[in-house]
Amino acid sequence: MNQPPNPAAEQAALPGCWWHPNRPTGLSCSRCGRPACPDCLREAPVGFQCTDCVHAGGQQQRRQHRGYQEAGFGVRTIAGARPSRSILATQVILAVNVLVFLVTVLQARSLNDNQVSDVFQLGVLWGQATLGAGEWWRLFTSGFLHYGPIHIAVNMFSLWMMGRALEQVFGKIRFLTLYFVSMLGASTAVLLFDNLDGGTAGASGALFGLMGAYAVIVLKLRLNPTGLIVTLALNAFITFGVANISILGHVGGLVTGALVTVAMLYAPQVRQAQWQAAGVAILVVAMIGLLVYKDTQVAAQTCQFVQYRGQELYSCG
C-alpha cells in the first residue's frame, strides 16, 4: 500500500533560502546557484537571478560600458562625435573675439572707431594686401575683427546661440573644423568676386557657415524647419537690407558650412573619420587652388604704414 504524500516532510527536505533561511525553496539562482525564494529572484535574460547577482551584474555592465566609451567606442552623435555637454570651443572663440576687440579699442582709443588701430589694419581682409602682397593671414584674422560694439555684440550673441548647440553635435574638433573652414570659404568668396574698395571683417562669415550646418542637419533629420526658415529670413534681410554688409562673405560662409556638414553627416559609417577628413580636405584644397589662381592675376603690391591726415594708415601700392 502506498504512503500518502507528506507536504511537511517534503518542505523539510528542501534547502532554505540563502537570504531567508526559514523559507524552504526548490528554486535557485541561475548565476551563482544559491537557493532563493521567489521574493529574492529576478527575471534575467537566461533563467532567474538572485538580487545580489543582479546588482553585481549591473555594476559590471556599467564598468564595461564606461571603459567602452573611454576607449573611443559607444554612442556617437550623427556627426560621429562622442556625446558631450562641453561647449569649450565656443567659449574660447567668443573670448578671443572679445579680447581682440578690446585690444583694437585700446589702441584706437575709441570704442566706435576701433578700425584705425594697427591690429585692425594688419588683420582686416584687403584684396591688395592679401592677394598682391601675400598677407594670407588676413583670411582668418579678419574673422576676429569687428567694427564697433554693435557689430561684435550681434555676432557674439549669434555665436553663443548656434555654437553651443552645434558643438554638442559635432564635438570640439569637428566643430572647430566647421567654423574655420567656413571662415576660409567666406574670405575666399570675397577675394574672388568682390572688388574690395574697403576692408572686410567680422565673424559673420563663419557664423553663416554654422547656419548652413544647421540647415543640413534639419534636412538630414527631417526636423521642423520653422526655426531655420525664420533664421534664414531674418539674416537675409540683414544681409541685403543693411548697408556695408559683405553679401559675398555671408553667402560664401553659408555654402561652405553646408558643404562641410554634408561631408561629415553623409560619410560612410566604416572609417567615418577618414572619410570626413578627406571630404573637408578636398573642399579646402579647392578653395586654396582658386585663391592661388586669383593671386597670379593680381599685380604684386608693397604694403606699409603711412601718415594720412595725421593718422597712421596701412596702404598698399
Side-chain angles (χ1 to χ4, degrees), residues 138-209:
R138 296 176 182 269
L139 294 170
F140 296 100
T141 56
S142 58
F144 292 92
L145 298 169
H146 294 85
Y147 290 96
I150 296 179
H151 190 199
I152 189 172
V154 172
N155 279 349
M156 292 306 98
F157 176 77
S158 299
L159 172 61
W160 178 253
M161 295 301 294
M162 291 188 293
R164 60 181 180 174
L166 291 176
E167 185 176 349
Q168 294 182 14
V169 174
F170 289 96
K172 294 179 180 58
I173 302 300
R174 291 175 176 83
F175 175 76
L176 289 173
T177 300
L178 168 65
Y179 189 87
F180 284 103
V181 174
S182 298
M183 185 183 295
L184 175 62
S187 297
T188 300
V190 170
L191 290 176
L192 291 179
F193 306 110
D194 199 340
N195 193 22
L196 277 184
D197 293 331
T200 301
S204 53
L207 295 177
F208 267 75

Side-chain angles (χ1 to χ4, degrees), residues 5 7 36 72 88 92 116 121 129 169 176 179 185 209 226 230 236 295:
L88 180 61
V92 170
V116 300
Q121 294 187 51
V169 174
L176 289 173
Y179 189 87
T226 303
V230 172
D295 182 56

Side-chain angles (χ1 to χ4, degrees), residues 6-292:
N6 188 349
E10 290 181 1
Q11 285 188 348
L14 294 176
C17 173
W18 186 269
W19 295 267
H20 306 96
N22 60 336
R23 298 183 186 178
T25 179
L27 304 175
S28 62
C29 174
S30 61
R31 181 174 181 178
C32 67
R34 292 179 292 184
C37 66
D39 291 340
C40 297
L41 291 175
R42 301 291 183 269
E43 188 175 1
V46 178
F48 291 84
Q49 294 182 4
C50 64
T51 53
D52 286 353
C53 288
V54 170
H55 181 68
Q59 287 184 327
Q60 181 182 8
Q61 185 177 14
R62 285 191 292 272
R63 285 195 300 268
Q64 290 176 344
H65 182 67
R66 185 163 55 250
Y68 191 67
Q69 288 187 323
E70 290 175 353
F73 303 102
V75 179
R76 297 276 181 165
T77 67
I78 58 172
R82 280 184 287 177
S84 173
R85 295 179 178 270
S86 173
I87 54 171
L88 180 61
T90 300
Q91 293 171 329
V92 170
I93 294 173
L94 194 151
V96 172
N97 274 277
V98 173
L99 179 61
V100 172
F101 177 73
L102 292 177
V103 170
T104 60
V105 168
L106 292 175
Q107 277 194 338
R109 297 181 181 180
S110 172
L111 183 64
N112 295 311
D113 296 326
N114 60 308
Q115 70 273 11
V116 300
S117 69
D118 291 351
V119 169
F120 197 101
Q121 294 187 51
L122 284 173
V124 69
L125 188 65
W126 281 344
Q128 292 178 332
T130 307
L131 294 175
E135 297 180 354
W136 296 105
W137 65 81
R138 296 176 182 269
L139 294 170
F140 296 100
T141 56
S142 58
F144 292 92
L145 298 169
H146 294 85
Y147 290 96
I150 296 179
H151 190 199
I152 189 172
V154 172
N155 279 349
M156 292 306 98
F157 176 77
S158 299
L159 172 61
W160 178 253
M161 295 301 294
M162 291 188 293
R164 60 181 180 174
L166 291 176
E167 185 176 349
Q168 294 182 14
V169 174
F170 289 96
K172 294 179 180 58
I173 302 300
R174 291 175 176 83
F175 175 76
L176 289 173
T177 300
L178 168 65
Y179 189 87
F180 284 103
V181 174
S182 298
M183 185 183 295
L184 175 62
S187 297
T188 300
V190 170
L191 290 176
L192 291 179
F193 306 110
D194 199 340
N195 193 22
L196 277 184
D197 293 331
T200 301
S204 53
L207 295 177
F208 267 75
L210 300 185
M211 199 178 307
Y214 177 37
V216 174
I217 291 174
V218 169
L219 295 175
K220 170 75 173 178
L221 300 181
R222 297 180 180 179
L223 302 177
N224 187 343
T226 303
L228 174 63
I229 294 173
V230 172
T231 302
L232 289 175
L234 177 60
N235 283 275
F237 171 77
I238 295 174
T239 300
F240 294 99
V242 179
N244 300 321
I245 295 292
S246 177
I247 297 175
L248 286 170
H250 289 185
V251 174
L254 181 72
V255 173
T256 304
L259 291 176
V260 169
T261 307
V262 168
M264 289 187 178
L265 298 191
Y266 290 90
Q269 294 296 315
V270 179
R271 297 183 179 178
Q272 185 181 37
Q274 290 88 336
W275 282 106
Q276 290 174 337
V280 174
I282 291 173
L283 183 60
V284 171
V285 170
M287 289 188 290
I288 292 176
L290 290 172
L291 289 173
V292 171

